[in-house]
Amino acid sequence: MNFLRRLIASPSSRSQVSEFAKRSFKTSTNHTGSIVESASTSLVHGIHQFHCPDVVGILARLSDCIASKEGNILNADIFVPDNNDVFYSRSEFLFDPAKWPREQMDADFSKIAKNFNAMKSIVRVPDIDPKYKIAVLASKQDHCLVDLLHGWQDGRLPIDITSVISGFMQVLSGDFLKSYNKDIINIHHGLLPSFKGSNPSKQAFDAGVKLIGATTHFVSEELDSGPIIEQLVERVSHRDNLRTFIQKSEDVEKRCLAKAIKSYCELRIFPHEANKTVVFRS
């Protein structure tokens, strides 16, 4: 089912689709007497993540919900896989809390979720909702931990770090994962599986690799094999010594982890099939 068909699924869809292009403005007069348009300061940014079986009319219904409350859609990302009749969407929109109270917003999207038998429907209003509270499980190396703490302190990451547990063992048991029942994100260097065990950076450097990287993924029972969220790479060359090689490797790990956490907090990530993810990019 293509994107156009989904848009034209209801009689009122033409007016609904036009809401995608609308923006709320207020007028003012500058010192020359000319009329100036500026974005309304009363509007707040919201995000909606939706996952349900694929049927006709989903996008029209979601856009109508936002438009009926005088909200304006900033963008909408959609994915429907070819081999599986499921629908993934992520919408960003502006709204006036006075016209659409936070509790009512939850109720409105919850009603749509029930109508479409949704597997997931999450709403976040970053300026109103609490930040995600996270615990950091740190191993012997501290470069990612330090970067997360700096990102939390200077506001780069929309999180609150509530605890840090150091010296954490690498493998989490299935019983622990089931009892915890929350998402856990792991970061590891991209030198696997060729270079593992003791001092993989030294092994890779001695082998003369030209490309290094990092992978973030959801934690599963099997070590370093959960659904991948983000991967970044960095080129190295004969001009690198072991110190600069390790420095570049640690830097790409920090960036990869921060990007994955930011995507998670912005509702950009969906589990997909047994061992995959759908990630809508910023």
Side-chain angles (χ1 to χ4, degrees):
M1 186 184 303
N2 61 34
F3 181 72
L4 181 60
R5 182 183 173 193
R6 212 178 326 275
L7 285 175
I8 62 175
S10 68
S12 60
S13 61
R14 288 190 179 88
S15 62
Q16 294 167 359
V17 173
S18 67
E19 294 296 331
F20 278 75
K22 288 184 179 180
R23 300 291 184 269
S24 289
F25 292 97
K26 64 180 181 180
T27 59
S28 60
T29 304
N30 64 15
H31 67 279
T32 63
S34 301
I35 294 179
V36 178
E37 288 186 329
S38 61
S40 173
T41 56
S42 64
L43 299 183
V44 176
H45 177 235
I47 308 169
H48 180 234
Q49 184 190 64
F50 199 64
H51 176 204
C52 70
D54 186 39
V55 294
V56 174
I58 303 170
L59 183 60
R61 183 67 186 89
L62 291 172
S63 61
D64 181 61
C65 175
I66 296 171
S68 67
K69 303 298 183 179
E70 300 184 31
N72 297 316
I73 294 178
L74 299 175
N75 60 67
D77 291 305
I78 294 164
F79 175 63
V80 179
D82 293 333
N83 61 345
N84 198 343
D85 290 332
V86 291
F87 175 92
Y88 300 91
S89 75
R90 178 186 181 276
S91 304
E92 292 189 40
F93 54 93
L94 294 176
F95 72 100
D96 186 342
K99 297 178 180 178
W100 200 6
R102 185 68 181 84
E103 296 78 9
Q104 185 61 49
M105 178 184 294
D106 281 334
D108 291 340
F109 281 119
S110 177
K111 183 178 180 181
I112 296 175
K114 291 179 181 178
N115 290 341
F116 288 106
N117 298 313
M119 290 79 89
K120 177 177 286 189
S121 178
I122 302 175
V123 186
R124 276 196 65 78
V125 182
D127 290 343
I128 297 176
D129 296 347
K131 293 181 179 180
Y132 279 98
K133 296 183 184 296
I134 72 168
V136 181
L137 312 180
S139 61
K140 295 178 181 179
Q141 295 176 309
D142 63 0
H143 56 283
C144 286
L145 170 61
V146 171
D147 188 68
L148 287 180
L149 292 173
H150 285 164
W152 169 44
Q153 186 178 44
D154 63 22
R156 276 188 296 113
L157 295 175
I159 57 173
D160 276 331
I161 297 178
T162 59
S163 59
V164 175
I165 304 173
S166 62
F168 204 80
M169 63 190 208
Q170 293 181 331
V171 180
L172 298 175
S173 69
D175 289 339
F176 174 86
L177 295 175
K178 290 175 184 176
S179 62
Y180 183 63
N181 197 30
K182 292 181 176 64
D183 292 324
I184 303 175
I185 295 175
N186 184 41
I187 175 73
H188 63 74
H189 57 77
L191 304 175
L192 297 172
S194 298
F195 307 102
K196 52 189 174 183
S198 177
N199 207 342
S201 293
K202 178 68 163 53
Q203 296 178 48
F205 176 77
D206 290 342
V209 301
K210 304 303 181 188
L211 203 63
I212 59 176
T215 296
T216 51
H217 62 90
F218 288 116
V219 172
S220 63
E221 294 184 41
E222 190 174 349
L223 180 64
D224 294 333
S225 63
I228 293 172
I229 300 169
E230 186 62 68
Q231 291 180 301
L232 296 178
V233 295
E234 179 76 23
R235 188 164 292 280
V236 292
S237 75
H238 60 278
R239 298 185 183 278
D240 284 291
N241 55 39
L242 181 58
R243 180 183 59 81
T244 61
F245 185 98
I246 293 175
Q247 189 175 46
K248 287 182 178 180
S249 180
E250 292 181 348
D251 181 66
V252 76
E253 288 178 27
K254 292 187 292 186
R255 288 188 286 115
C256 190
L257 180 58
K259 190 171 184 179
I261 291 175
K262 191 170 184 291
S263 293
Y264 184 91
C265 294
E266 293 176 352
L267 304 184
R268 298 184 181 277
I269 305 169
F270 296 82
H272 173 52
E273 297 182 344
N275 200 38
K276 295 182 179 179
T277 58
V278 172
V279 182
F280 291 124
R281 304 298 181 187
S282 56

